[in-house]
Amino acid sequence: MPVIHLVRHGQATFGADTAEGYDALSDLGRGQAEVAGAELARRAPRDPVVVCGTLARQRDTAEIIARTAGLPGAPRTDARWNEYDHIDLVERYGGSAPQDAPAGASADTSAGSRGVQAVLDRALEAWMADTGEGGWQRFASGAADALRGLADGLRPGSDAVVVTSGGVLAALCGGLLSAPPAGIVALNRVTVNAAITTLVAGSSGISLLAFNDHAHFAGERRALLTYR
């Protein structure tokens, strides 16, 4: 059965006040992508297809992973793997987010970052409740369509590596688990930068094998572990 490895992008420049400013890997994020690439090389995906969203942090992570893992060809891009605009989302649904979170801070060490996360959690729940045309359902359906199309296009004996973002991962895994909105928010909250989520595509559909695997950031690489 084809195996699909979904990788969250490396750490971006958390703390930027625009979506464009956030869309760049930090130096730490580049290091995370290299470690994830080495882990994927160890897993030896078969004749892999490499795909990513169109955001810079996703493309750069995919390129670093492909180079480090020795994966052939240039990553394909598909905007359906893109993240939602978290700044616009908070402005529309969550009120004002705290502005004192330092750039590059992790959710574990920064009180400011925890405050931002709480606001984002509320905004996500409100977005999911919005049945309008631009609501959560459209975002989640786009991600699900991208996954189904990728799985359907894989040749027998081939696998895929996809670089995407936490919201897409939460939407897909929440859908596969039939999770309620609160469960999807919980999945989104704990996604680790450059963690690997593993799916298999079989005759009965797509199944989740492992969510948010970040064992490659244990031990001496523990300092590379970040959530934002």
Side-chain angles (χ1 to χ4, degrees):
M1 291 186 292
V3 176
I4 301 173
H5 300 288
L6 304 178
V7 186
R8 189 186 176 202
H9 62 76
Q11 184 197 62
T13 48
F14 179 79
D17 57 4
T18 66
E20 292 78 11
Y22 177 75
D23 193 21
L25 289 182
S26 66
D27 290 341
L28 179 59
R30 292 180 177 279
Q32 291 167 335
E34 290 179 355
V35 172
E39 171 60 20
L40 285 166
R42 186 188 70 80
R43 300 186 186 195
R46 302 163 299 172
D47 190 22
V49 174
V50 183
V51 185
C52 62
T54 65
L55 301 176
R57 60 190 184 272
Q58 298 170 336
R59 296 196 314 270
D60 290 349
T61 298
E63 289 170 1
I64 292 169
I65 284 175
R67 182 174 67 248
T68 304
L71 305 181
R76 299 190 329 224
T77 58
D78 183 338
R80 292 176 297 178
W81 295 105
N82 286 3
E83 183 66 295
Y84 54 76
D85 183 338
H86 68 288
I87 293 174
D88 176 69
L89 189 67
V90 166
E91 288 177 349
R92 286 193 290 142
Y93 296 104
S96 298
Q99 298 297 314
D100 58 347
S106 77
D108 278 350
T109 60
S110 168
S113 180
R114 287 195 296 270
V116 170
Q117 185 63 54
V119 173
L120 180 58
D121 286 354
R122 292 195 298 270
L124 275 171
E125 290 194 21
W127 190 30
M128 289 182 207
D130 183 354
T131 58
E133 183 178 347
W136 168 265
Q137 190 56 47
R138 180 178 180 183
F139 171 79
S141 294
D145 288 345
L147 177 60
R148 282 193 296 269
L150 174 65
D152 290 345
L154 289 175
R155 299 181 300 278
S158 65
D159 299 323
V161 174
V162 181
V163 177
T164 184
S165 295
V168 174
L169 289 165
L172 291 175
C173 293
L176 291 171
L177 297 172
S178 299
I184 294 172
V185 170
L187 292 174
N188 183 73
R189 187 185 305 125
V190 299
T191 52
V192 169
N193 291 118
I196 302 171
T197 291
T198 304
L199 313 176
V200 292
S203 58
S204 60
I206 299 172
S207 300
L208 174 64
L209 284 186
F211 170 71
N212 203 35
D213 180 3
H214 54 280
H216 43 294
F217 297 130
E220 63 183 14
R221 296 195 181 98
R222 192 181 307 277
L224 293 175
L225 177 66
T226 61
Y227 296 85
R228 300 290 171 263

